[in-house]
Amino acid sequence: MSKEKVPGSETIAVHWREEPLIRPQPEFVGQSNVSDPSIFERFSEDNFPECFDEYAQMLTWYKSWHQTLDSSNPPFYRWFVGGEINASFNCIDRHLPKRAGQVAFHFVPEPEDAPLVSITYQQLYWRVNEMAAMLREEFGLQRGDGVTLHLPMTLELPITMLACARLGVIHTVVFSGFSGRACGDRIVDSQSRLLITMDSYYRGGKLLDHKIKADEAVDHAAEGGHTPEKVLVFRREPGKYASDTPMHDGRDVFVDEILPRFKSREIEPEHMLAEDTLFLMYTSGSTGKPKGSQHSTGGYLAYAAGTSKYVLDIHPDDVYWCMADIGWITGHSYIVYGPLVLGTTSVLFEGAPNIPDTGRPWRVSEQLGVNILHTSPTAVRALRKAGTEVPAQYKYHFKSMTTVGEPIEPEAWRWYYEAVGKGKAVITDTWWQTETGGHLLSTLPAIHDMKPGSAGPALPGIYASILDDQGKDIKPGTSVAGSLCIRNPWPGRMLTIWRDDQRFIDTYYKRFCTNAESSDWRDWPYFAGDGAVQSADGYYRILGRLDDVINVAGHRLGTKELESSCLTVDVVVEAAVVAVPDEIKGVVPEVFVSLRTNIEASEEIEQRIKQAILDDIGPIAKPRNVWIVPDMPKTRSGKIMRRVLASLSAKKDPGDVSTLANPEIVEIIRVLVQK
Ligand code: PRX
């Protein structure tokens, strides 16, 4: 296996100070699901892999597994072998004897004057069953088929996911903010039979036309060689079509016109094998094409349940609000599957947290009695900037709060703790990834002290290490930067990359595998692609991505995806995308392009490039600047030096550039970007 340098690791300079530890409040510890540190003995390496039976036992199985882990063919692992289960049954049916009347979701529409819609577990049962009946009988969906859901944050999204899970249909949810083209790419790769969408939804104070993206998605998918059979269109207000885009005869159907026929129908959940696929979730990688993270049914669900119970500390009588979007993995694991498996009450919020003003999250929390809040550092920074004193005006009581998605600065952390948590709520900073299915590093909130800016130690059953460029273990607890790895398999990990096992090996295992012939998982550490340090107390601090991925507001964008989008503008010959620091979003992309000879730079070209990115990916990828430069700084072998561009953008010294093929270009670009 090749042993090239960990890309980017040589540039990591670690210069922050250690933060003091903060003890969790005794009231929190007293009610916690796990406050006894002996859990780490139960999940020690000596007890691996059977320790994870504890998570699987939180679920209801049709048939128990006969082997906890089959690791004979690394890195393709099978958890809970022989076990049979259904995710929809675990999220809904099994709660009915005890809590049919309990609210499963409070749906909070973005317009504040629109009524709250609360749906009980019993009502969820009926909605999911009728949807499943319709998908099976009207559209012929069967176990193993795929569908793409391009749905916003409304009840229809979890209902459709759970209906798919009931039938054993593999769902691919595409974030509603993504463009039609991005959705089309995912339809092709997942070979989805149907696209399920909605006419419109509220976001940022406006009713957005969403159906228009479905037409783009299907056209784009057709260009890619795959056309879904039908497009199912929910109406945000049943019976009232709010899109300017016409329905496509023979292809598009209104769900609310067909669904009533399936009222009161009950669908027996499919008995799925633990290793059957529950869903795909696409994520950006360092090459252009998004990767379909293929997640299992039994292992994934067990891991989502275990971490929801022990890390998020969810109880059935909590009111839990995760502000992420279900279109990301956080929403899958910690809005839909984990919380529902535990039978709790969740808030589903359609909108942006600053509509109509930044008091909204606190009003929702006050009105609904939210006691667990789960959000991102970006949201924390934005709420802090918009009004430090705002949360103090509201009478909500959080017992615990979570952050996820990107490193949180200790300053932002302290504001979250003091101003939002009122110095009473514990904070867990959870590190994980789309590929991992659930949390891997975090404090267990009733056991560990909190440390601002640090994710915490590895969770029970997760054996993490930091490796140097040669793949050698960096001595634990020495605060030396390296590449974060997980040495062992865990049940929540993706099965593979959809239809691309080789890419799965190449992306996550090739880097540090010590023996490609080995059938021992110990030779196959999982390469996370993040830089990290571990301090003497065992807490990890994440330094950010080592590969060509930009983490904007907790969402991964591949630089290659943005660059290829720039190249769709015909006058562009080269494009380089770098990440620059941003006060609210952590980092944002900045684009450098060079043009064909004899083409003059112009604002019009700049606009076309921005539009191409908007069309290909969506507003989330919006670059701060597009710089049209005469040439890119390049090594003698012709590689674009993105690091030099990033330093210039961040108004930093690019260092010694004398070894470049064209060092003179650096000054020209500096004058341009730093004027
Ligand atoms: O760089 C890490 C960062 O987000 C990446 C994973 O992104 P994604 O697959 O979109 O999943 C986001 C939600 C799990 C990681 O490789 N990241 C995630 N959580 C943290 C984090 N960085 C620092 N601290 C975290 N708590």
Side-chain angles (χ1 to χ4, degrees):
M1 293 264 158
S2 68
K3 282 281 168 282
E4 69 271 23
K5 271 175 107 53
V6 176
S9 64
E10 69 280 14
T11 63
I12 295 171
V14 183
H15 46 252
W16 51 67
R17 59 186 167 83
E18 277 291 296
E19 297 289 327
L21 294 169
I22 301 172
R23 286 215 57 70
Q25 289 71 12
E27 308 84 76
F28 178 82
V29 175
Q31 61 79 62
S32 169
N33 284 325
V34 56
S35 54
D36 181 351
S38 68
I39 182 171
F40 285 94
E41 281 157 41
R42 286 206 305 281
F43 280 80
S44 71
E45 236 170 302
D46 288 344
N47 296 327
F48 179 84
E50 284 75 17
C51 52
F52 280 113
D53 289 354
E54 179 167 332
Y55 288 180
Q57 278 151 2
M58 293 177 189
L59 309 174
T60 307
W61 295 77
Y62 297 117
K63 187 170 158 218
S64 194
W65 56 99
H66 57 77
Q67 187 185 6
T68 301
L69 170 66
D70 171 4
S71 61
S72 58
N73 180 29
F76 302 96
Y77 304 122
R78 298 162 69 212
W79 283 91
F80 311 119
V81 184
E84 289 180 12
I85 189 161
N86 184 282
S88 176
F89 178 90
N90 272 273
C91 289
I92 310 168
D93 309 39
R94 71 165 181 159
H95 302 311
L96 297 182
K98 268 208 197 138
R99 52 180 81 96
Q102 182 190 314
V103 171
F105 283 117
H106 291 297
F107 169 60
V108 181
E110 188 182 83
E112 207 164 5
D113 53 3
L116 171 81
V117 183
S118 301
I119 170 171
T120 64
Y121 275 93
Q122 184 68 66
Q123 291 166 320
L124 184 63
Y125 173 83
W126 288 116
R127 298 269 309 257
V128 167
N129 271 279
E130 64 188 31
M131 188 71 193
M134 185 190 81
L135 291 176
R136 191 167 76 184
E137 283 159 34
E138 186 73 19
F139 299 102
L141 286 192
Q142 288 178 3
R143 180 176 177 145
D145 286 342
V147 294
T148 294
L149 278 49
H150 200 197
L151 288 168
M153 282 288 282
T154 58
L155 287 169
E156 287 74 11
L157 176 50
I159 287 170
T160 309
M161 289 163 74
L162 292 163
C164 289
R166 203 165 186 88
L167 299 173
V169 166
I170 302 169
H171 60 70
T172 295
V173 179
V174 178
F175 171 54
S176 57
F178 271 162
S179 67
R181 291 175 72 88
C183 180
D185 286 335
R186 287 150 177 80
I187 292 173
V188 175
D189 195 72
S190 63
Q191 296 287 297
S192 288
R193 288 187 57 190
L194 303 179
L195 168 63
I196 306 183
T197 188
M198 190 170 268
D199 63 337
S200 62
Y201 64 98
Y202 289 95
R203 186 79 194 183
K206 285 188 272 210
L207 185 66
L208 306 179
D209 183 348
H210 190 57
K211 164 65 168 55
I212 190 170
K213 291 187 178 174
D215 294 15
E216 288 163 11
V218 175
D219 289 348
H220 186 64
E223 284 166 25
H226 178 80
T227 304
E229 294 155 32
K230 296 274 180 208
V231 177
L232 275 52
V233 183
F234 281 105
R235 284 185 273 205
R236 174 71 181 75
E237 313 272 348
K240 248 172 54 192
Y241 190 48
S243 165
D244 291 334
T245 320
M247 293 289 276
H248 195 295
D249 240 6
R251 183 197 75 186
D252 300 351
V253 257
F254 285 128
V255 175
D256 59 62
E257 285 180 353
I258 301 180
L259 206 51
R261 280 200 260 133
F262 297 90
K263 206 167 168 45
S264 304
R265 286 290 312 281
E266 288 175 284
I267 294 291
E268 176 60 26
E270 283 285 315
H271 293 202
M272 305 302 289
L273 293 176
E275 73 235 43
D276 279 338
T277 303
L278 179 60
F279 66 86
L280 308 181
M281 165 60 59
Y282 282 81
T283 187
S284 296
S286 42
T287 62
K289 198 167 147 257
K291 310 183 284 254
S293 256
Q294 184 179 338
H295 281 283
S296 71
T297 306
Y300 168 82
L301 204 64
Y303 201 70
T307 48
S308 294
K309 183 158 181 176
Y310 291 160
V311 181
L312 303 177
D313 204 55
I314 290 176
H315 301 65
D317 55 359
D318 286 326
V319 181
Y320 162 83
W321 183 12
C322 173
M323 292 168 82
D325 195 291
I326 295 176
W328 307 107
I329 191 70
T330 303
H332 276 50
S333 300
Y334 300 122
I335 296 179
V336 181
Y337 289 112
L340 289 179
V341 159
L342 297 182
T344 197
T345 298
S346 277
V347 176
L348 190 71
F349 180 52
E350 179 179 35
N354 60 348
I355 301 292
D357 57 71
T358 54
R360 186 75 190 280
W362 323 126
R363 285 196 292 281
V364 170
S365 300
E366 185 182 82
Q367 282 157 16
L368 298 178
V370 173
N371 61 353
I372 306 178
L373 185 76
H374 187 156
T375 191
S376 64
T378 293
V380 172
R381 288 183 212 111
L383 290 166
R384 176 180 183 219
K385 190 168 181 215
T388 296
E389 299 312 316
V390 178
Q393 298 159 25
Y394 298 93
K395 295 199 262 321
Y396 60 81
H397 300 283
F398 296 149
K399 63 173 178 176
S400 111
M401 306 192 302
T402 308
T403 84
V404 60
E406 34 169 340
I408 184 164
E409 303 76 10
E411 276 317 299
W413 192 101
R414 274 188 280 273
W415 180 77
Y416 194 32
Y417 185 70
E418 295 298 341
V420 179
K422 304 178 180 175
K424 293 201 176 99
V426 297
I427 296 184
T428 48
D429 178 348
T430 56
W431 174 87
W432 58 298
Q433 308 177 298
T434 303
E435 296 86 338
T436 74
H439 310 134
L440 297 182
L441 305 179
S442 169
T443 50
L444 285 183
I447 295 178
H448 300 111
D449 292 344
M450 298 165 252
K451 182 150 74 167
S454 288
L459 286 176
I462 302 300
Y463 319 124
S465 55
I466 300 181
L467 303 185
D468 69 12
D469 290 343
Q470 273 70 47
K472 292 219 180 61
D473 262 318
I474 289 178
K475 202 162 168 248
T478 50
S479 295
V480 174
S483 180
L484 179 59
C485 286
I486 309 297
R487 290 190 284 107
N488 63 307
W490 67 97
R493 197 211 62 180
M494 66 197 288
L495 295 165
T496 183
I497 292 175
W498 179 247
R499 300 198 304 168
D500 205 343
D501 287 347
Q502 191 56 46
R503 192 173 174 203
F504 175 66
I505 298 176
D506 291 349
T507 311
Y508 306 104
Y509 289 95
K510 192 170 153 206
R511 182 68 189 82
F512 289 124
C513 176
T514 48
N515 175 6
E517 304 305 316
S518 168
S519 57
D520 184 345
W521 59 260
R522 289 167 193 81
D523 292 317
W524 294 83
Y526 171 84
F527 169 66
D530 276 358
V533 293
Q534 190 194 30
S535 54
D537 52 20
Y539 284 43
Y540 291 90
R541 192 157 180 164
I542 308 298
L543 304 170
R545 300 291 306 171
L546 297 169
D547 54 16
D548 295 334
V549 171
I550 304 183
N551 188 333
V552 182
H555 302 139
R556 270 157 71 176
L557 300 171
T559 48
K560 289 286 185 299
E561 277 175 272
L562 276 100
E563 288 167 4
S564 38
S565 176
C566 298
L567 288 174
T568 62
V569 176
D570 52 5
V571 290
V572 173
V573 282
E574 273 184 320
V577 172
V578 300
V580 290
D582 181 86
E583 213 186 311
I584 302 291
K585 295 179 176 171
V587 293
V588 289
E590 189 141 301
V591 170
F592 292 82
V593 294
S594 60
L595 306 180
R596 287 209 319 251
T597 31
N598 301 328
I599 303 279
E600 288 285 312
S602 70
E603 213 155 283
E604 187 243 321
I605 297 178
E606 220 178 285
Q607 276 316 319
R608 281 172 61 199
I609 293 169
K610 286 187 179 158
Q611 191 60 44
I613 293 175
L614 202 68
D615 291 344
D616 286 341
I617 303 164
I620 178 184
K622 190 171 161 212
R624 179 188 293 171
N625 289 299
V626 173
W627 301 111
I628 300 179
V629 296
D631 196 4
M632 300 285 179
K634 288 191 187 134
T635 61
R636 280 163 209 266
S637 60
K639 239 178 121 201
I640 299 177
M641 289 298 285
R642 289 179 179 72
R643 209 175 314 138
V644 170
L645 294 171
S647 313
L648 294 171
S649 278
K651 306 210 175 350
K652 286 195 196 135
D653 177 8
D656 180 15
V657 293
S658 60
T659 56
L660 294 185
N662 54 351
E664 68 291 342
I665 199 70
V666 176
E667 183 55 18
I668 297 171
I669 299 177
R670 192 188 66 74
V671 171
L672 188 74
V673 305
Q674 297 185 1
K675 67 180 177 241

